[in-house]
Amino acid sequence: NNVSGLGYNVLHLKMYLPYFSGIWLGVEWDDPQRGKHDGTYEGTQYFKCRHPRGGSFIRPNKANFGVDFLTAVKDRYGLKEQDVQNGTKNTLVLGKKTVELIGMDSIAEQQRQGKQMYYISAYLIKKTNTLILVSEKGNIRHINLSKNLLSSWDTVTDIASQVPNLETLNISENKIKFPSTSISVSNVFSKLKVLALNQTEITWTEVLVCAQGWPALEELYLTSNNITVLERPDNVLQTLKLLDLSDNQLLDGDQLHQIAYLPRLEQLILRNTGISSIHFPDSEFGCKTKMFPSLKRLAINDNKISQWSSINELEKLPSLRSLQCHNNPLMDTEKNPETLRQLIIAKISQLEVLNKSEILPAERKGAELDYRKIFGKEWLAAGGNWNPERNKPSEEFLAAHPRYTALCLKYGAPEEGELKGQQPLTLKNQLLTLTIKCPDKPEQKPVEKKLPESMTIQRVKGLLYRLLKIPGSELKLSYESSKLAGKEVELDNDLKPLQFYSIENGDCVLVRW
């Protein structure tokens, strides 16, 4: 029901109350803050509420009990009364009911004008007893019935049966009773690709029961349904590419193992699900898990993840390319958000997008070089050694830094000079002595300059413009280091400082134009 535009509620019963004349309705509000009690009056409990203050008693004239599907669509899309009175009449039998199709002249006129209806959105629907838009139903692809008064999955199925090419259905924010044991599988949803069931109080068990009728489903949205426990989908949801379980407080991170073998799942959204850890027990560090074989995009923001071990585990995912992980306790372990970002990038080798920001090749290289240097002393203390025969870091170190060995193979082990203790941050110690060379202009002699490590690439270009008398906008910069023999690193982000690229004293900046 809808009460005078104030919000939605569930009607529990119609009654007489002591000391008050007339009929009252006992209702439970979707928003419990609008209620006053738990269904109890003068010591007698007339109905039960999920929330202790979610109930109210109201007069019948305050309640809106909704309309049928046809009336809702007629009101929504402006079918006029004369369309109903003068329209061509057609009938169709649905079960034991003979159903009249009306308003066809208006629809035919729209068709003559080249207007086709692909999308329907309707408001305050409580039931369906009339088939609609028979001349258009083959064109309709998308239906939005969110925030209505639908109370039964059978009603939803009846509506969908009228739209043979239905691809997208949104029935969020309806208090629907779903089948929990078995259903009669039909082809009503045979072409359905996107289904939104947010805030419908559906359980995961009911999802798996209904999913028998969703053979082509690709996107499923299940936010805010109090789902706590998952079960393994057997022979259902095998076409699913996106699953959104946000705002459901899962029992623990191991619940994810139940959905880990959906073969086509590419995007998993787990915002605010209460998970505190992620673990893939089927594989060791350095190996890829068989779980989530197609998962490319993962959102775990607004959770309780506090340990780096969960980030290490994500390196096991074979297809992961994009990660959202902000607003976790782990994010508070580093004061500098740029350092935090670099650590995550270095730990997950295939990541291309982090918190909606693209990871450029130069950023990845800088992050991995810095990671190799930052934890170099810890590596040595744990048994690491420049001599391959004596390089035996402890299991504890490898568990905390599973990619460290791979980074040493990629860039070489950190040299002793890189691991010396940092000097106090005076201006002198922040200056880098660099050699400026123009490899394509042999007549230009190398120049040695001292530059602050905080100097941005844009400002370096401005300096070189004045120094070399060339337009800064046309410059292409890179650098080479004795630690990266035969390799050049492009300085391709004008907004980044020199230290971002791990440039050190004695390195050579190469200038081309």
Side-chain angles (χ1 to χ4, degrees), residues 25 60 76 81 121 127 135 189 196 205 210 219 267 271 280 286 308 325 336 340 355 361 405 418 423 430 459 499:
L25 304 179
R76 176 70 174 81
E81 191 62 35
S121 175
K127 60 184 178 179
S135 65
F189 300 104
T205 299
C210 294
E219 298 182 16
Q267 184 170 358
R271 285 190 293 267
F280 304 116
W308 281 104
C325 59
N336 187 339
L340 185 76
N355 292 329
T405 300
E418 295 181 82
Q423 297 177 345
Q430 293 180 59
R459 289 178 59 199
Q499 63 188 5

Side-chain angles (χ1 to χ4, degrees), residues 171-238:
I171 55 172
S172 300
E173 299 184 60
N174 285 279
K175 302 303 180 188
I176 296 175
K177 182 175 177 58
F178 293 92
S180 57
T181 53
S182 62
I183 60 170
S184 177
V185 179
S186 68
N187 62 352
V188 170
F189 300 104
S190 62
K191 297 182 181 180
L192 188 67
K193 295 181 179 179
V194 180
L195 177 60
L197 297 171
N198 305 320
Q199 291 182 251
T200 57
E201 299 185 359
I202 192 170
T203 67
W204 184 252
T205 299
E206 291 167 346
V207 169
L208 298 186
V209 170
C210 294
Q212 299 173 51
W214 309 333
L217 194 66
E218 296 181 358
E219 298 182 16
L220 179 59
Y221 298 87
L222 297 170
T223 69
S224 304
N225 280 307
N226 296 319
I227 294 172
T228 58
V229 179
L230 302 178
E231 303 169 48
R232 187 163 179 168
D234 291 324
N235 302 317
V236 294
L237 302 179
Q238 300 301 297

Side-chain angles (χ1 to χ4, degrees), residues 113 156 165-166 189 200 278 339 412 473:
Q113 296 175 7
V156 176
N165 292 316
L166 183 63
F189 300 104
T200 57
I278 297 175
T339 300
S473 59

